[in-house]
Amino acid sequence: MFTDVSESAGITKPEPTYGFSPCVADFDNDGWPDIYVAADAKPSLLFQNNRNGTFRETGLLAGVAFDINGRPQAGMGVGAGDYDGNGFLDIIKTNFSDDTPSLYRNEGSALFTDVTFQSGLAGQTKSVKWGTAFLDFDNDGWPDIFIVGGPIYPPRGAFASEAGNRILLRNLGNGRFEDISRQCGGRYFSYGTTRPPYQ
């Protein structure tokens, strides 16, 4: 049995938005789960746990509401993982076509820096990017990034080969990622991928 506590928990207080994907994880290492929501065409939201059954929205103050230029994005998917080994969960958010994914580095206490360009993700602008996750596919101890993508509507006939792509970004261990998608093959559209926060 479940009880809807959205209102009493405070997550209905922010202005209504197009919440696309939530990610529940402890972003400030206080032992209580927080909630990040990738929003479409609106500021994304970060609900920090008040440890009393309520949440406060801190997305703008935390640095995860907009991109580095202060623009809202069309957020699609979201994943959490400690890609740089500093002990805090970082955020990867996918966005619509013609936009990059967003990589937010957690500096501690749930305060983030947008490191999309410094990390080498700026070139990922093809197709709509949907689900994403951190995972260490090569077992080197550094979480890599997996992103699935494709059009809103499945292409047919001659356009089927343009279905989309799966993006695999190898963590180089120095704050940067290398796109090795072509080495892995597979141009198929996909919409979702999920795994618990990678730490």
Side-chain angles (χ1 to χ4, degrees), residues 36 43-46 58-66 91 93 104 112:
Y36 180 70
S44 291
L45 306 170
L46 177 61
T58 63
L60 181 60
L61 294 175
V64 292
F66 302 106
I91 294 173
K93 177 171 67 77
Y104 297 109
F112 295 81

Side-chain angles (χ1 to χ4, degrees), residues 59-122:
L60 181 60
L61 294 175
V64 292
F66 302 106
D67 70 4
I68 196 169
N69 297 310
R71 298 182 304 118
Q73 295 171 291
M76 299 287 128
V78 60
D82 182 14
Y83 83 89
D84 58 354
N86 71 347
F88 293 94
L89 291 174
D90 311 295
I91 294 173
I92 177 70
K93 177 171 67 77
T94 58
N95 297 299
F96 207 75
S97 57
D98 299 323
D99 201 352
T100 68
S102 299
L103 181 60
Y104 297 109
R105 183 179 63 212
N106 192 337
E107 309 291 356
S109 301
L111 297 174
F112 295 81
T113 300
D114 186 332
V115 294
T116 304
F117 288 85
Q118 303 96 297
S119 62
L121 274 63

Side-chain angles (χ1 to χ4, degrees), residues 20-21 73-78 92-102 121-132 146-152 165-167 169 190-192:
F20 224 90
S21 295
Q73 295 171 291
M76 299 287 128
V78 60
I92 177 70
K93 177 171 67 77
T94 58
N95 297 299
F96 207 75
S97 57
D98 299 323
D99 201 352
T100 68
S102 299
L121 274 63
Q124 305 297 334
T125 57
K126 293 183 180 178
S127 73
V128 181
K129 293 163 288 296
W130 300 98
T132 185
F146 181 57
I147 298 172
V148 297
I152 296 177
N165 59 326
R166 296 172 181 167
I167 302 168
L169 303 164
S190 303
Y191 297 112

